């Protein structure tokens, strides 16, 4: 099949490709938690564009600042609703040419006070991960990971 005739809307999912994506997403999650155990999230920069992403996220989604549960207890159904998808797509597409793998599938914890578990993990595009995790880091919501790793 040539790339010129490939249509993502009608393409079949290939199990091996899905497994490779899953392996990469899990490896990313493990690496991120390892980094958070070695350095406080509040001292961490995830990209050179963290300031821009943070400012854009809290403007596009004022709920980050007005709803205490928005970043700490993610409502996956609301996020993936028609309206939610539209809002997030507009946000994410801004970074199509400036953030590598901006829409690559990534694992996000629904509740940052817990580790990755089957019940606490959502599969999202990378830009959603960055928006939530940059916010969480700036608001010290991930610092507990470092603190737990360095208890004496």
């Amino acid at each position: 099949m040539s790339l010129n005739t490939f249509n993502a809307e009608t393409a079949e999912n290939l199990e091996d490709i899905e497994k490779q994506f899953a392996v990469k997403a899990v490896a990313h999650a493990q690496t991120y938690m390892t980094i958070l155990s070695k350095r406080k999230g509040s001292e961490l920069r995830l990209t050179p564009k963290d300031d821009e992403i943070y400012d854009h996220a809290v403007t596009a989604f004022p709920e980050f600042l007005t709803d205490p549960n928005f970043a700490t207890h993610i409502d996956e159904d609301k996020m993936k609703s028609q309206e939610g998808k539209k809002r997030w797509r507009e946000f994410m597409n801004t970074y199509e040419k400036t953030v590598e793998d901006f829409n690559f599938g990534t694992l996000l914890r629904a509740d940052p006070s817990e580790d990755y578990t089957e019940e606490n993990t959502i599969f999202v595009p990378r830009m959603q991960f960055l928006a939530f995790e940059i916010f969480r880091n700036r608001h010290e919501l991930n610092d507990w990971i470092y603190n737990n790793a360095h208890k004496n």
Side-chain angles (χ1 to χ4, degrees), residues 1-134:
M1 173 185 306
S2 91
L3 290 176
N4 294 336
T5 61
F6 180 77
N7 181 345
E9 297 298 322
T10 60
E12 292 183 39
N13 286 331
L14 299 175
E15 193 173 325
D16 287 342
I17 293 174
E18 287 180 1
K19 286 179 185 175
Q20 290 172 3
F21 281 122
V23 167
K24 187 170 181 178
V26 169
H28 176 267
Q30 290 171 332
T31 299
Y32 184 56
M33 292 303 280
T34 298
I35 291 168
L36 288 173
S37 72
K38 302 206 180 301
R39 187 162 187 180
K40 287 184 178 181
S42 57
E43 300 172 353
L44 190 62
R45 292 188 61 84
L46 300 180
T47 76
K49 296 182 146 303
D50 279 14
D51 295 337
E52 177 185 333
I53 293 168
Y54 177 88
D55 291 343
H56 185 195
V58 298
T59 300
F61 299 93
E63 303 95 302
F64 271 114
L65 298 174
T66 62
D67 179 355
N69 289 322
F70 188 76
T72 59
H73 295 85
I74 297 172
D75 183 340
E76 184 176 9
D77 293 333
K78 189 172 182 179
M79 183 172 68
K80 294 183 177 182
S81 70
Q82 283 288 91
E83 180 186 345
K85 285 181 183 179
K86 181 181 184 290
R87 290 176 71 198
W88 279 106
R89 191 176 312 111
E90 289 171 3
F91 171 82
M92 292 186 304
N93 285 342
T94 305
Y95 300 96
E96 182 175 7
K97 294 187 182 349
T98 59
V99 174
E100 186 176 346
D101 296 332
F102 80 106
N103 65 351
F104 192 85
T106 308
L107 300 178
L108 175 68
R109 292 168 297 140
D111 180 346
S113 69
E114 298 177 21
D115 203 339
Y116 285 97
T117 63
E118 187 174 338
E119 299 80 27
N120 194 44
T121 302
I122 304 170
F123 190 71
V124 299
R126 183 167 189 245
M127 283 311 304
Q128 281 181 321
F129 170 87
L130 290 172
F132 279 101
E133 291 300 327
I134 290 168

